[in-house]
Amino acid sequence: MNFVFLADELYWKGVDGSLSRCLSREDQNIALGEVHNGICGAHQAGKKIRWVLYRNYVYWPSMIKDCINYAKACQECQKHGSEPQVPAIELHSIIKTLLPLEVNLNTLRVLRQNELPVDDYWNAMFDELNELDSERILALENVIRQKESIAQSYNRRIKEKSFKIGELVLKVILPMEKKSKFLGKWSHNWEGPFQVIGTYSENAYQIQDIKSGKVINSINGKYLKPFYCWQT
């Protein structure tokens, strides 16, 4: 049995025999808020919150899940989150035509043109012209393989994002938009929340500011991210 009653309080007994007090829903919210964004809180991630709570001998069954969701729903953490750096569209290979000068051929015509008789020289040059097409094809195939390898590596980092009408999102504060001169580098990287009110092709959306009602008619999905709310 992992739970015990002591002085009318329910405790959870850990594997090391230590007792952690089981918290009510109200006390859970107080504990999460104090650890994450209280006086001594440092806006830690969910697993770190759980570790701090464990060290203070408190427990409830869904603690690790609630810690992660609470940290994810913190508005300050969301607005100070890193700006999108991952590419949002796939890299497609663009094949550029190779010129003969771009193919480094150690040609017989160049090496022995001063030694050969005129007829032999022209025959050798004609033979090399016949082989030039195959050399070009081999070089082109090599370029295609290299570009496909680069595209494959690049596309592994792509994170597709899509949003539905009615969903709440945050919008990145783009470099051309004004940030707080007072806060400087401590300014938010994201603003909102906004609500998705329309969808377009090519991953574009129409969004509306929840507070002001301002509508942004078109913005690419790569500049948006989901907004999370903590349900008390």
Side-chain angles (χ1 to χ4, degrees):
M1 183 176 180
N2 293 331
F3 294 92
V4 295
F5 267 108
L6 289 176
D8 295 330
E9 291 282 354
L10 180 64
Y11 290 84
W12 176 76
K13 187 176 182 180
V15 293
D16 59 351
S18 62
L19 297 178
S20 300
R21 187 166 69 91
C22 296
L23 301 184
S24 64
R25 186 59 179 173
E26 182 180 356
D27 289 339
Q28 292 170 22
N29 289 326
I30 294 174
L32 289 169
E34 187 63 35
V35 173
H36 183 70
N37 54 356
I39 296 176
C40 297
H43 290 271
Q44 299 98 332
K47 292 184 178 180
K48 182 62 180 296
I49 298 175
R50 194 269 183 196
W51 180 83
V52 174
L53 292 173
Y54 180 78
R55 291 294 300 270
N56 284 274
Y57 299 102
V58 295
Y59 174 82
W60 64 92
S62 60
M63 185 161 67
I64 181 63
K65 178 182 177 181
D66 290 345
C67 289
I68 293 174
N69 289 338
Y70 188 90
K72 184 186 293 185
C74 175
Q75 294 195 25
E76 288 299 313
C77 290
Q78 293 184 70
K79 292 183 179 181
H80 281 287
S82 58
E83 299 177 7
Q85 302 293 335
V86 179
I89 58 175
E90 291 188 356
L91 178 68
H92 298 283
S93 299
I94 300 176
I95 306 302
K96 183 180 178 181
T97 304
L98 291 176
L99 298 175
L101 291 177
E102 295 175 301
V103 182
N104 187 14
L105 297 177
N106 192 15
T107 61
L108 179 64
R109 176 174 62 87
V110 173
L111 293 176
R112 301 184 57 189
Q113 61 181 349
N114 295 326
E115 303 175 7
L116 295 175
V118 175
D119 292 339
D120 292 342
Y121 170 78
W122 285 108
N123 289 333
M125 189 167 60
F126 182 74
D127 291 339
E128 286 193 350
L129 286 175
N130 289 333
E131 296 175 357
L132 185 59
D133 287 339
S134 61
E135 295 288 345
R136 285 177 174 174
I137 292 173
L138 291 176
L140 183 60
E141 290 177 348
N142 185 44
V143 171
I144 292 174
R145 285 194 297 269
Q146 290 179 349
K147 288 184 177 290
E148 288 177 347
S149 177
I150 294 172
Q152 185 178 9
S153 176
Y154 180 92
N155 293 336
R156 287 197 194 103
R157 300 183 295 132
I158 294 174
K159 295 181 180 178
E160 295 184 358
K161 294 189 294 185
S162 61
F163 305 96
K164 299 178 181 178
I165 293 179
E167 191 171 351
L168 296 180
V169 296
L170 292 177
K171 181 183 76 69
V172 69
I173 300 177
L174 300 174
M176 66 283 296
E177 297 175 346
K178 292 183 179 180
K179 292 188 177 182
S180 171
K181 294 182 179 180
F182 176 74
L183 295 175
K185 68 178 182 180
W186 303 110
S187 299
H188 291 158
N189 294 324
W190 299 82
E191 61 181 350
F194 294 82
Q195 186 175 35
V196 177
I197 59 175
T199 60
Y200 305 107
S201 60
E202 302 297 332
N203 199 34
Y205 299 90
Q206 184 183 39
I207 59 176
Q208 183 177 29
D209 193 315
I210 295 296
K211 294 182 179 179
S212 67
K214 178 183 177 182
V215 174
I216 298 177
N217 288 320
S218 181
I219 184 170
N220 194 288
K222 67 181 179 180
Y223 298 121
L224 304 175
K225 72 175 182 179
F227 175 75
Y228 298 97
C229 299
W230 173 248
Q231 302 295 332
T232 58

